[in-house]
């Protein structure tokens, strides 16, 4: 198990390096910070002065090396060109709201997907199964921003039950978390359903019943643990998509997280902030994958002992 | 015989409802099993052997399967009338079952100790430590070396033969009075097969349990069984003692099975008698044929066989045959016959 985790960690470091390089490369060749940040009447000398000030006149690889060294050895992502404060400080403020939103969305998705998936599997083709399958299909087909706006109209504007922007109280979290949760719920529920259906037809389930194990325990102990293996893997892989969804959700609900910060920074061409957020999203995705790998190894001894 | 049977199955019918129609997997099965004895259930694939066993355990998946008729009396209790909770107490406690595929019959994500201990926890109300000690003890009884350390192993760390031993340990943990073994050696190597059969016979003798052994292998029957039920197309076609099976089988299907075993020393290629086979295949069990289900493959079929289903004729108290050829020798008919 230790070797397994160490190997996975080394993989993760490699992937992080690749992400940092690719994102740096893309931003380097697509962003034109001078034209975004300098006044329109700036002449060539002003631009040259600006590029010299931020070190943008150096070759791309040198800039990347400099950036990487500062991040790795000093934890320094540089300064925002627009806000003139440390990128680390901007991110520090926005990180927790995003994590809070992502965790709440995961919890909502899990709390609904697991029981619904199990019920749909044991009552296959029943009314419950058909209704949830239909709702899941609708959920999967609905764009996030649209669902967000619909929820705002219903619960914020018409019913006036919940606040629709900001992050001050727990009530503020409800609508964004439901929106983002509904983004991952359909896939999770389908996975639980198909996983349970497959596992329930296995010989060892018949063995458990032949031992006199009562049905609830057959489902939760003998079947669900086996059915959960793909769910855990997908939850890890899905985390990247969840962060992508957070960008849209945060924008719709004016949620002061990393996603909204990323959008604002892209709009004004604030290169260091965007770079840092991409890297952090990348790191979270890698960590989530790593957690999923370790999680499935913990659940399934066949992975652990390979 | 004054002794009461441990298991008495009468008129059992288990049907499966499929989009193609109703599959009569078990269609009027009767047999009796006495305490401490071994009943072999013999038949080819699709004859309804396993469904019969699963019906006794009430483990037929519903839907699509359903026990539509019959009685299953276990020590005087009608299993089909028990509540699900009462039936659960019987499963694994009084009647237990082992299956054909040791590779897939154990849960891959739990240790063997956990899976065996669970039986003690359910049926004997033991706490975790007692149950774990019991599991170790059971592994030792079924001949697994180093039981103290193997009890923490997962199924994938065991070979097929070892897994079947572990399955047996789980089945006998609560000293069941009836063990149903569904093709327990089919998936194993020949040498391991013999070990597993020996183990089953030894445990049976030690514990005095009755055994219902399902197989398509006449060799296994010969080695283990006291009485034999021959099944064909969901029906019992012949019921007889083990000696009668080899000396005086009456049903043409049973004879066909016996004649299709190669015997050491016999030459099939040059001699006049080639190794016999039963032509054709088991009929599909959806379309109900009013005649004898074996008629189409039977060398001795008469006109009557194609139109009229024979009842189970009683040749003597220990020998029944469901064939018109047995009518002349019959003392009478069994209580519940398919034709009735």
């Amino acid at each position: 198990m230790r070797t397994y985790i160490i190997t996975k960690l080394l993989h993760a470091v490699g992937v992080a390096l690749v992400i940092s390089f690719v994102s740096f490369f893309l931003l380097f060749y697509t962003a034109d910070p001078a034209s975004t940040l300098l006044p329109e009447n700036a002449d060539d000398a002003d631009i040259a002065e600006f590029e010299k000030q931020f070190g943008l006149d150096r070759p791309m690889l040198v800039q990347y090396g400099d950036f990487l060294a500062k991040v790795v050895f000093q934890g320094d992502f540089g300064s925002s060109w627009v806000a003139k404060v440390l990128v680390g400080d901007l991110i520090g403020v926005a990180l927790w709201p995003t994590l809070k939103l992502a965790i709440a969305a995961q919890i909502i998705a899990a709390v609904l997907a697991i029981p619904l998936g199990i019920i749909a599997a044991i009552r296959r083709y029943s009314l419950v199964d058909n209704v949830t399958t239909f709702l899941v299909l609708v959920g999967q087909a609905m764009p996030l921003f649209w669902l967000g706006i619909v929820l705002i109209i219903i619960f914020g504007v018409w019913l006036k039950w919940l606040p629709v922007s900001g992050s001050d109280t727990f009530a503020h979290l409800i609508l964004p978390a439901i929106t983002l949760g509904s983004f991952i719920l359909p896939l999770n529920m389908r996975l639980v359903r198909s996983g349970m259906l497959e596992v329930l037809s296995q010989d060892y389930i018949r063995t458990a019943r032949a031992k006199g194990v009562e049905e609830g325990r057959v489902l939760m102990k003998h079947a669900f643990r086996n059915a959960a293996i793909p769910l855990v893997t997908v939850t890890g892989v899905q985390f990247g998509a969840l962060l992508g969804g957070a960008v849209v959700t945060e924008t719709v609900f004016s949620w002061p997280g990393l996603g909204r910060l990323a959008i604002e920074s892209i709009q004004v061409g604030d290169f260091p902030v965007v770079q840092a957020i991409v890297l952090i999203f990348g790191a979270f995705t890698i960590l989530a994958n790593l957690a999923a790998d370790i999680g499935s190894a913990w659940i399934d001894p066949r992975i652990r002992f390979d | 015989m004054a002794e009461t049977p441990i298991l008495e199955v009468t008129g059992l019918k288990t049907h499966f409802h499929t989009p193609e129609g109703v599959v009569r997997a078990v269609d009027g099965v009767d047999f009796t099993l006495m305490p401490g004895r071994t009943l072999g259930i013999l038949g080819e694939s699709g004859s309804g052997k396993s469904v019969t066993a699963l019906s006794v355990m009430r483990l037929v998946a519903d839907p699509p399967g359903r026990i539509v008729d019959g009685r299953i009396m276990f020590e005087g209790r009608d299993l089909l009338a028990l509540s699900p909770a009462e039936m659960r107490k019987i499963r694994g406690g009084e009647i237990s079952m082992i299956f054909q595929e040791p590779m897939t019959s154990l849960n891959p994500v739990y240790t063997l100790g956990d899976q065996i201990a669970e039986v003690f926890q359910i049926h004997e109300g033991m706490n975790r430590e007692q149950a774990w000690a019991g599991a170790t003890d059971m592994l030792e009884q079924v001949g697994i070396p180093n039981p103290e350390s193997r009890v923490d192993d997962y199924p994938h760390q065991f070979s097929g033969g070892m897994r079947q031993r572990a399955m047996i340990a789980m089945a006998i943990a609560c000293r069941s009075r009836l063990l149903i073994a569904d093709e327990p050696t089919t998936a194993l190597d020949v040498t391991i097969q013999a070990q597993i059969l020996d183990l089953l016979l030894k445990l049976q003798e030690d514990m005095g349990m009755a055994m219902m052994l399902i197989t398509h292998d006449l060799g296994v029957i010969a080695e283990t069984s006291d009485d034999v039920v021959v099944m064909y197309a969901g029906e019992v076609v012949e019921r007889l003692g083990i000696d009668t099976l080899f000396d005086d089988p009456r049903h043409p299907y049973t004879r066909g099975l016996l004649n299709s075993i190669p015997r050491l020393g016999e030459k099939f290629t040059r001699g006049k008698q080639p190794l016999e086979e039963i032509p054709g295949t088991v009929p599909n069990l959806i379309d109900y044929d009013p005649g004898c289900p074996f008629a189409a493959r039977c060398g001795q079929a008469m006109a009557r066989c194609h139109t009229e289903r024979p009842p189970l004729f009683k040749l003597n108290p220990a020998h029944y045959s469901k064939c018109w050829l047995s009518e002349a020798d019959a003392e009478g008919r069994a209580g519940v016959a398919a034709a009735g």
Side-chain angles (χ1 to χ4, degrees):
Chain A
M1 189 74 184
R2 232 179 72 192
T3 338
Y4 178 81
I5 294 177
I6 290 171
T7 322
K8 288 284 171 193
L9 272 174
L10 289 176
H11 272 230
V13 171
V15 175
L17 276 177
V18 172
I19 290 177
S20 72
F21 182 77
V22 170
S23 61
F24 196 93
F25 177 84
L26 289 176
L27 283 170
F28 185 87
Y29 285 106
T30 52
D32 184 7
S35 70
T36 322
L37 296 174
L38 291 180
E40 265 181 45
N41 57 3
D43 57 18
D44 287 352
D46 294 334
I47 293 172
E49 171 61 28
F50 171 84
E51 292 193 334
K52 197 167 163 43
Q53 187 195 336
F54 290 103
L56 299 173
D57 51 346
R58 296 170 300 164
M60 185 248 171
L61 281 180
V62 175
Q63 290 189 43
Y64 173 69
D66 186 37
F67 162 77
L68 195 64
K70 277 189 180 150
V71 170
V72 172
F73 296 113
Q74 301 164 17
D76 177 12
F77 287 96
S79 298
S80 159
W81 293 338
V82 180
K84 311 289 182 206
V85 295
L86 284 176
V87 174
D89 292 346
L90 282 177
I91 287 178
V93 173
L95 181 61
W96 173 235
T98 295
L99 282 184
K100 193 159 72 173
L101 180 59
I103 292 168
Q106 282 286 8
I107 291 175
I108 289 175
V111 162
L112 289 175
I114 293 172
L116 283 179
I118 293 176
I119 293 169
I122 53 180
R123 298 261 175 275
R124 196 179 180 187
Y125 305 136
S126 67
L127 187 67
V128 183
D129 184 22
N130 289 331
V131 168
T132 44
T133 305
F134 174 74
L135 289 179
V136 154
L137 202 67
V138 171
Q140 221 156 9
M142 225 168 4
L144 260 186
F145 71 88
W146 188 80
L147 176 65
I149 291 169
V150 169
L151 289 178
I152 287 177
I153 292 173
I154 296 175
F155 294 100
V157 180
W158 293 348
L159 299 172
K160 298 194 191 327
W161 286 355
L162 292 164
V164 296
S165 78
S167 69
D168 303 333
T169 64
F170 179 74
H172 286 91
L173 179 62
I174 297 174
L175 288 183
I178 290 176
T179 307
L180 189 55
S182 72
F183 178 57
I184 48 175
L185 171 70
L187 179 62
N188 287 1
M189 191 246 146
R190 302 296 297 174
L191 268 176
V192 173
R193 180 181 180 273
S194 63
M196 285 298 280
L197 277 177
E198 200 200 312
V199 169
L200 284 174
S201 66
Q202 297 291 317
D203 289 348
Y204 54 78
I205 295 301
R206 194 182 50 189
T207 305
R209 290 189 178 129
K211 286 197 291 193
V213 178
E214 53 107 8
E215 200 53 28
R217 199 171 152 94
V218 169
L219 289 177
M220 294 321 294
K221 179 182 170 181
H222 290 271
F224 183 66
R225 182 152 174 179
N226 282 284
I229 298 165
L231 180 68
V232 168
T233 311
V234 168
T235 302
V237 176
Q238 213 181 26
F239 199 77
L242 185 69
L243 290 175
V247 173
V248 178
T249 310
E250 287 177 6
T251 309
V252 172
F253 289 96
S254 304
W255 185 262
L258 285 177
R260 205 181 59 158
L261 181 63
I263 295 284
E264 286 167 0
S265 305
I266 289 167
Q267 280 165 351
V268 297
D270 200 344
F271 185 171
V273 179
V274 178
Q275 173 69 35
I277 293 174
V278 170
L279 206 55
I280 285 172
F281 275 14
F284 272 116
T285 309
I286 293 167
L287 283 177
N289 275 297
L290 185 67
D293 281 340
I294 294 171
S296 25
W298 177 71
I299 295 175
D300 188 349
R302 287 164 299 181
I303 301 174
R304 215 183 310 162
F305 288 97
D306 267 351
Chain B
M1 272 185 277
E3 217 178 358
T4 50
I6 185 163
L7 183 71
E8 191 171 17
V9 173
T10 19
L12 179 67
K13 292 187 181 186
T14 306
H15 293 175
F16 288 81
H17 295 262
T18 69
E20 288 76 36
V22 178
V23 178
R24 302 154 183 275
V26 171
D27 207 31
V29 161
D30 317 83
F31 60 82
T32 324
L33 174 55
M34 289 297 169
R37 288 174 74 87
T38 300
L39 175 74
I41 298 194
L42 181 68
E44 59 195 299
S45 308
S47 60
K49 308 175 301 251
S50 294
V51 177
T52 302
L54 288 172
S55 301
V56 172
M57 293 292 276
R58 276 180 49 190
L59 282 176
V60 175
D62 175 14
R66 177 158 292 178
I67 299 172
V68 290
D69 199 8
R71 252 184 5 156
I72 302 172
M73 300 298 289
F74 173 70
E75 294 182 334
R77 280 170 290 173
D78 185 358
L79 295 186
L80 296 181
L82 294 184
S83 71
E86 289 168 324
M87 193 59 215
R88 270 201 303 275
K89 278 191 199 132
I90 296 215
R91 283 188 212 121
E94 299 177 50
I95 307 179
S96 45
M97 185 162 178
I98 57 175
F99 301 96
Q100 178 170 351
E101 277 297 336
M103 306 311 269
T104 53
S105 294
L106 290 162
N107 197 326
V109 302
Y110 294 102
T111 60
L112 286 177
D114 191 309
Q115 296 184 56
I116 299 170
E118 194 175 25
V119 185
F120 288 119
Q121 287 171 309
I122 294 171
H123 294 289
E124 319 242 303
M126 288 187 185
N127 66 31
R128 211 176 150 68
E129 288 84 66
Q130 293 168 324
W132 203 263
T136 314
D137 198 38
M138 291 319 299
L139 286 182
E140 187 165 12
Q141 276 197 44
V142 296
I144 287 177
N146 306 320
E148 295 82 10
S149 68
R150 301 301 317 247
V151 74
D152 293 317
D153 281 351
Y154 289 92
H156 74 274
Q157 294 167 293
F158 275 64
S159 67
M162 286 293 171
R163 285 188 214 193
Q164 196 61 298
R165 283 175 191 267
M167 278 296 296
I168 294 171
M170 204 183 287
I172 59 166
C174 292
R175 306 188 73 84
S176 298
R177 291 188 294 285
L178 170 62
L179 175 68
I180 302 176
D182 185 0
E183 303 265 9
T185 57
T186 306
L188 305 171
D189 294 341
V190 184
T191 46
I192 310 289
Q193 284 188 14
Q195 291 175 12
I196 295 291
L197 287 180
D198 287 347
L199 174 68
L200 282 174
L201 290 175
K202 182 185 164 290
L203 291 167
Q204 183 187 22
E205 203 180 308
D206 292 351
M207 298 168 57
M209 65 185 173
M211 188 152 70
M212 183 172 146
L213 197 128
I214 294 158
T215 183
H216 65 273
D217 188 337
L218 275 160
V220 171
I221 291 276
E223 235 175 287
T224 54
S225 304
D226 302 309
D227 306 293
V228 180
V229 162
V230 183
M231 283 191 71
Y232 184 79
E235 295 181 29
V236 172
V237 294
E238 190 158 14
R239 263 166 68 183
L240 66 183
I242 186 73
D243 297 332
T244 324
L245 173 71
F246 291 98
D247 299 342
D248 188 23
R250 291 300 183 88
H251 199 282
Y253 177 66
T254 316
R255 293 184 183 183
L257 285 180
L258 286 160
N259 289 337
S260 56
I261 329 172
R263 286 193 176 75
L264 210 60
E266 273 183 33
K267 292 184 178 135
F268 299 110
T269 42
R270 276 180 293 159
K272 281 183 182 173
Q273 257 193 325
L275 184 60
E276 233 177 72
E277 58 172 303
I278 302 174
T281 52
V282 183
N284 89 51
L285 302 172
I286 294 177
D287 308 319
Y288 186 79
D289 191 333
C292 169
F294 188 60
R297 302 171 73 186
C298 180
Q300 294 165 271
M302 308 171 287
R304 186 184 192 183
C305 301
H306 294 283
T307 53
E308 211 179 329
R309 190 162 280 221
L312 197 58
F313 291 109
K314 182 179 180 181
L315 297 163
N316 64 51
H319 193 174
Y320 296 80
S321 165
K322 196 178 270 185
C323 176
W324 289 119
L325 293 172
S326 305
E327 192 179 21
D329 302 330
E331 287 176 10
R333 296 176 179 196
V336 183

